[in-house]
Each structure stands twice: as structure tokens, then as C-alpha cells.
Amino acid sequence: MVKDNDGRTSRIAGLRDMTVEARRAAVLAAAGLPEDASAALAGGGALPKALADGMIENVIGTFELPLGIATNFTVNGRDYLVPMAVEEPSVVAAASYMARLARGAGGFHTSSDAPVMRAQVQVLRPADPQGARQRLLAARDELIAIANAQDSVLTGLGGGCIDIEVQVFSDTPAGAMVILHLLVDVRDAMGANAVNTMAEAVAPRVAEIAGAPVRLRILSNLADRRLVRARVELPPEALTTEALDGAEVVQGVVDAAALAVVDPYRAATHNKGIMNGIDAVVLATGNDWRAIEAGAHAYAARSGRYTSLSRWEIGAGGALVGTLELPMAVGLVGGATKTHPAAQAAVRLMGVTSARELAEVIAAVGLAQNLGALRALATEGIQKGHMTLHARNIAILAGATGDQVDRVAAAIVAAGAVTVERARAELRDIS
Ligand SMILES: CC(C)(COP(=O)([O-])OP(=O)([O-])OC[C@H]1O[C@@H](n2cnc3c(N)ncnc32)[C@H](O)[C@@H]1OP(=O)([O-])[O-])[C@@H](O)C(=O)NCCC(=O)NCCSC(=O)C[C@@](C)(O)CC(=O)[O-]
Ligand SMILES: NC(=O)C1=CN([C@@H]2O[C@H](COP(=O)(O)OP(=O)(O)OC[C@H]3O[C@@H](n4cnc5c(N)ncnc54)[C@H](OP(=O)(O)O)[C@@H]3O)[C@@H](O)[C@H]2O)C=CC1
């Protein structure tokens, strides 16, 4: 077992072949977590009804998803076991596989901006939009002070409103508008509530200064001051398959990725593959996946044309170099991150101690997921690996239970017919 310098390891041989209980125990042991984290990760009532009732409205129960662990991740020289809540087969396997390949080449390298969010305050139809803009910019210090008076906890932690920006839209369907942005360092929070409070607090003074009414006061999910970046570099040998040498696979990945740069139809699917990994970790850690999705796709369209969030190039020595950059507004406090017991246990399992560290690991998972799909698409095609794992779902749909599931799944994969009809026939044969 390779261990990193924290004594934690993300490499657990044979994990896939264990029972669910044995896997959970192995994962907790590898993460150095005590047994008491086990119940929260096991599901089956880990989110008490009373707690759920306090989280949203009109609660009638809880809804569960499988929680899997992506293995093999090394990010900036540190090992991470990554919790992923997702319903789609082959996502966890593909991420783990690509992380295993990356691990042999130094793993993933990441960086991130300070956790700065934007809140927007919309001023409607000022008589003098440019004059209003300049008056607001001149009142920068006063507006920052009003904003920061709202959250002494945040400012005490070194965060708070750090700047303002003002933009004029002289022609909208509702006339001219001046939009003030508050730029707020939200530290370890996702930050929506924190910045919304500030936006509402500055609004009356903004209206006074601009000489016109204010309407919207809300954060922007295009968190482009809070970007995260991940990079991986794989020598061609790492990508060699039975049928293709490494250089061919590298070229195949680069070719496949190029279409997503220029074609929105392909970019949507390519980015969906990235979000397969990102959303699963965002969800497992109790974060707001709609916010992450909105930010990612708005960032992908920032030039006016929707494009790929990642880039794949051929670097020195024929290495495959992959890079990903996107907004990542995730937190370790606030929202469900501190109330949901499984989310808290997932964060402990990862061993992240800041929102930025969490964001960076998530970006590494997104890049690994993207490579998993591209490698499969550039070589054997997506159906082989994906459908093999999907076969278990099909077996269950056909009515298989217990050990019938694996037997039926193996039979329909061997027959090359991963369909419910074939699974029913196989089930009849073994019953
Ligand atoms: C599925 C694999 C990994 C099989 O690939 P394989 O070559 O059969 O795998 P393997 O059995 O040789 O195992 C290699 C490693 O993969 C992992 N692995 C392998 N199997 C398991 C498993 N059952 N449970 C847990 N981990 C698994 C595991 O890490 C293992 O190493 P180990 O740690 O064992 O030494 C491969 O075919 C693959 O990566 N396929 C791509 C799958 C994928 O991308 N799925 C996403 C869903 S499709 C989609 O929604 C997005 C898409 C595709 O449209 C995006 C786009 O178009 O860009
Ligand atoms: N468009 C969108 O995306 C929207 C999203 N939301 C929701 O907002 C929620 C997230 O808002 P968020 O502001 O993060 O949540 P919270 O308001 O729950 O948490 C943030 C607060 O936690 C306190 N805090 C304690 N320790 C820290 C620390 N280390 N770093 C930062 N803050 C700390 C701060 O002050 P204090 O203790 O004084 O509160 C801070 O204001 C999510 O549930 C999201 O779904 C809401 C509206 C819109």
C-alpha cells in the first residue's frame, strides 16, 4: 500500500470485490477515520427525519442515492479518497481508473483563486447612468463598510467585502440599468446567503446615490472570481491499450476533445462528462450542485459561444496534458454542509480543511472523469465499459435479486446483449 506523507492512502487494492460493509471499513481505515463515521456514511436512516424536516419544506421522507468512493486520487502530492453520490454506473470506476493512471505520473496539480463571490444590485433607469456609475464608484469605501457591518463573523475570519464594480447596460428590454457588484471573500462558505444579506443591506444607499430605484439584490452564480484549475500530464506509455500504443491513444484523446472546443453540440456532452464527477462530489459533501452547474455552463459560454471547459494537448515527450478551469463555489460551512451527517462524514473522509482544498480536489475529479470518457471514446467506445457496469442495473430491472444480479449481468454482457429482454431470459434460465 503506497501511503502519502499524511499516512493516508487513496489506493485500496481489491475494493471493488468486497461487500459493502467490508468496503466501508476498508475506506475508513485507509482514511484514518474512527468507526463512528461509519453509520453516517452507511445511509439507511443516516439523515434523521427530524433533521430532514428542518432542512426543506413539506418533508415526507428522505431520498437516497448510492455513495461510492473514488480511489487512487493524488492531488498536489496528497492522497484523497473521494466520496461520490451518483446514480450512474461507471462514473466512480472511470474516475478511479484515470486517477490510478495519473497517480503513476505524479497525480493531479491544482490551484484556485481566493473564494470571492459577486452579488449584484440592479439600479433601474437612472436619469444619468454614467453619472450614477461614477458616483457609486466614488462611494466605494462607504458601500464596503455597510456590507461588512452585516457579517462580523466573516470579517473576523479575514473575509468580507473587498471591492465593488459598476457596470452600465444602456439598452435592455426594460431601459437603462446600472449594476453594482459587491465582491466578497466568503472564506469557507459557499457564500450565497452571506453575499445576499450584504446586497440587500447596501441597496437603499445605492438607490440614494444613483438617484433611481433598486430591484434585484442577489449573488451571481457565474463565480468567475472563484476559479479552480486542475492539470494532469500523462506519458504516452501510461495510456497504452491492448489494441493501441500510447501515442495513438494520446492523439485520439486530443482529436476527440478538439470537437468540444469548436462545437456546442459536442461541448454539452463533453462538459456533462466533466460534471459527472464534479456533481457527485458536490452532492456528497452537501453542497449546492445547481449553483456549480450554473457557474460551469455560464463560464463555458463566457465568450458568447459555448465551449469545452477542458483542454487536451500533446506536450513534451508526447505527453498527454489535460487542463480544466471553472468556477467552484463550494463550502465547508453553511447550507447542508454542516447539517447533513453524511455530508460531514464525507468531508472528514476526504480530509479537506478548507473550501479551496475541497474545490481543488473536485476539479481534479472533473478532469479525471473527462479523461475517462475521452479515453474510452477514443479507443474501445463508451458502451463496452459503461454497459458492462450498467448490466447490473438491467439485471435488477429484469427482476434479479441477491446473487442473481451478478450472474444475470455477466450472462448478458457475455452475450453482448445488455437488454432487459435478454436479462429476463437469462433469469428464467437460472431460476
Ligand atoms: C469502466 C471502465 C473503468 C472499465 O475499464 P477496464 O479496463 O475494464 O477496467 P479494469 O478492470 O482494468 O480496472 C482498471 C481500474 O478501473 C477501476 N475500476 C474498473 N472497474 C471497476 C469497478 N467495477 N469498481 C470500481 N473500480 C473499478 C479501478 O480503479 C481499476 O483499478 P484497480 O484500482 O482495481 O487496480 C472503463 O471502461 C472506463 O473508464 N469507461 C468510461 C466510463 C465513463 O466515462 N462513464 C461515464 C458515463 S458515460 C457519460 O455519461 C459521459 C459521456 C461519455 O457521454 C461524456 C463524453 O461523451 O465525453
Ligand atoms: N443562487 C444561489 O446559488 C443561491 C443559493 N443559496 C443557498 O445558500 C446556501 C449557502 O450560503 P452560505 O452563505 O454559504 O451559507 P450560510 O449563511 O449558512 O453560511 C455562511 C456564514 O457562516 C458563517 N461562518 C462561520 N465560519 C465560517 C468560515 N470559516 N467561512 C465563512 N463563513 C463562516 C459566517 O457568518 P455567520 O455565522 O454570521 O452567519 C457566514 O456568513 C446554500 O444552501 C445555497 O443553496 C441561497 C440563495 C441563492
Side-chain angles (χ1 to χ4, degrees):
M1 220 180 237
V2 183
K3 289 210 170 194
D4 75 352
N5 52 13
D6 290 344
R8 296 163 52 89
T9 181
S10 63
R11 176 100 191 111
I12 312 174
L15 191 68
R16 68 163 106 163
D17 300 321
M18 299 177 191
T19 63
V20 172
E21 289 70 27
R23 254 185 227 137
R24 200 163 59 243
V27 163
L28 290 178
L33 281 190
E35 257 301 296
D36 67 357
S38 183
L41 293 168
L47 178 61
K49 295 284 181 294
L51 192 49
D53 196 28
M55 287 172 73
I56 64 161
E57 309 74 38
N58 292 351
V59 168
I60 59 163
T62 56
F63 181 91
E64 294 198 75
L65 280 174
L67 179 67
I69 300 296
T71 52
N72 305 326
F73 272 88
T74 303
V75 181
N76 300 332
R78 182 163 187 246
D79 268 21
Y80 294 91
L81 284 160
V82 183
M84 301 178 81
V86 63
E87 86 298 344
E88 190 176 3
S90 83
V91 167
V92 176
S96 303
Y97 190 8
M98 295 307 107
R100 195 185 86 185
L101 298 187
R103 184 183 180 80
F108 297 87
H109 308 277
T110 62
S111 66
S112 55
D113 297 339
V116 173
M117 298 294 285
R118 287 171 191 276
Q120 299 190 291
V121 181
Q122 178 196 30
V123 181
L124 295 172
R125 296 175 283 277
D128 56 344
Q130 297 300 338
R133 174 175 179 271
Q134 294 217 359
R135 289 194 296 281
L136 287 166
L137 285 171
R140 173 185 177 277
D141 292 349
E142 181 192 353
L143 294 171
I144 290 176
I146 297 171
N148 282 337
Q150 309 310 309
D151 202 330
S152 56
V153 173
L154 194 59
T155 50
L157 290 165
C161 185
I162 54 169
D163 209 349
I164 65 166
E165 288 174 355
V166 189
Q167 201 182 345
V168 173
F169 290 102
S170 46
D171 186 21
T172 80
M177 287 173 196
V178 172
I179 310 300
L180 174 112
H181 286 188
L182 294 177
L183 302 181
V184 183
D185 183 328
V186 297
R187 302 276 93 186
D188 287 317
M190 178 271 186
N193 290 329
V195 303
N196 291 345
T197 304
M198 291 183 182
E200 291 191 3
V202 300
R205 184 65 186 129
V206 168
E208 229 169 66
I209 295 167
V214 157
R215 190 81 76 210
L216 295 177
R217 297 140 294 156
I218 188 78
L219 90 158
S220 168
N221 286 113
L222 175 51
D224 60 357
R225 291 286 299 257
R226 197 178 186 178
L227 299 178
V228 64
R229 297 164 207 89
R231 175 173 55 83
V232 68
E233 297 188 16
L234 290 168
E237 313 80 76
L239 290 154
T240 302
T241 69
E242 274 172 24
L244 298 169
D245 72 38
E248 289 173 298
V249 179
V250 169
Q251 189 61 56
V253 168
V254 169
D255 290 345
L259 182 59
V261 175
V262 296
D263 176 11
Y265 288 99
R266 173 57 202 158
T269 322
H270 178 102
N271 290 342
K272 187 273 183 185
I274 294 171
M275 301 314 285
N276 273 342
I278 288 178
D279 285 344
V281 191
V282 168
L283 188 53
T285 55
N287 275 287
D288 182 340
W289 73 94
R290 289 87 54 210
I292 300 303
E293 282 282 337
H297 298 294
Y299 192 68
R302 67 195 180 283
S303 70
R305 185 174 177 81
Y306 187 80
T307 185
S308 165
L309 288 164
S310 65
R311 292 291 183 273
W312 293 93
E313 304 164 309
I314 302 178
L320 177 65
V321 181
T323 50
L324 173 67
E325 180 181 80
L326 77 166
M328 191 57 66
V330 288
L332 291 180
V333 299
T337 57
K338 272 279 187 272
T339 46
H340 197 300
Q344 283 180 274
V347 168
R348 282 173 74 197
L349 179 66
M350 288 177 86
V352 292
T353 55
S354 71
R356 284 176 75 170
E357 188 184 4
L358 173 61
E360 292 185 23
V361 176
I362 291 173
V365 177
L367 189 59
Q369 206 71 60
N370 187 211
L371 178 59
L374 290 174
R375 191 207 60 92
L377 291 166
T379 56
E380 70 217 17
I382 200 70
Q383 291 303 70
K384 184 168 175 279
H386 180 67
M387 288 310 269
T388 302
L389 295 176
H390 184 53
R392 300 178 81 242
N393 280 346
I394 299 292
I396 292 167
L397 262 181
T401 54
D403 67 354
Q404 290 174 336
V405 175
D406 283 335
R407 289 173 66 193
V408 170
I412 60 178
V413 168
V418 184
T419 65
V420 177
E421 199 186 352
R422 182 63 187 246
R424 285 203 185 105
E426 296 291 345
L427 189 57
R428 272 195 301 274
D429 285 354
I430 64 169
S431 308

